[in-house]
């Protein structure tokens, strides 16, 4: 049942984001940044945690989940370190995802040999 919940949650997030891409004049970059900010805001108001509890990886893997990780890291950092935690908590909370993005980005750049798109 966890797989079904994750599929439904992740699918709903992706479908809503795709609707924004198709039906608005917002650029994909602005929509992606908006998703991260929305994840932080929903976490701050306690709305995103029930979605994570129900949807599991379907809620934590998309960009809303990255905002959730940042907000949870900041909250934990502030609880442990005070004001300094505001600056270090987000990066600490999302370090796994950031490291994976860098490693896999470099790996695929080596494998695929990217080129300039203007040529």
């Amino acid at each position: 049942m966890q797989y079904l919940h994750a599929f439904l949650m992740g699918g709903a997030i992706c479908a809503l984001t795709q609707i924004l891409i198709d039906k608005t004049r917002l650029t994909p970059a602005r929509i992606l940044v908006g998703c991260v900010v929305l994840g932080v805001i929903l976490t701050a108001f306690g709305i995103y945690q029930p979605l994570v509890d129900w949807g599991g990886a379907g809620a934590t893997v998309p960009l809303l989940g990255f905002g959730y990780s940042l907000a949870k890291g900041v909250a934990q950092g502030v609880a442990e370190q005070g004001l300094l935690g505001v600056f270090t908590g987000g990066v600490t909370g999302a370090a796994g995802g950031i490291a994976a993005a860098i490693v896999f980005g470099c790996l695929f750049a080596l494998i695929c040999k990217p080129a300039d798109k203007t040529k």
Side-chain angles (χ1 to χ4, degrees), residues 17-87:
T17 305
Q18 187 64 47
I19 290 169
L20 284 175
I21 291 171
D22 292 342
K23 300 294 182 185
T24 67
R25 295 185 54 146
L26 293 172
T27 63
R30 288 184 180 182
I31 292 171
L32 296 176
V33 169
C35 286
V36 173
V37 171
L38 183 61
V40 171
I41 292 169
L42 292 175
T43 302
F45 287 115
I47 298 170
Y48 205 70
Q49 186 61 48
L51 298 177
V52 169
D53 294 340
W54 186 81
T60 58
V61 171
L63 280 174
L64 285 170
F66 183 67
Y68 165 78
S69 296
L70 288 172
K72 293 295 278 190
V74 168
Q76 184 178 4
V78 167
E80 293 174 359
Q81 300 174 343
L83 185 60
L84 183 61
V86 172
F87 302 106

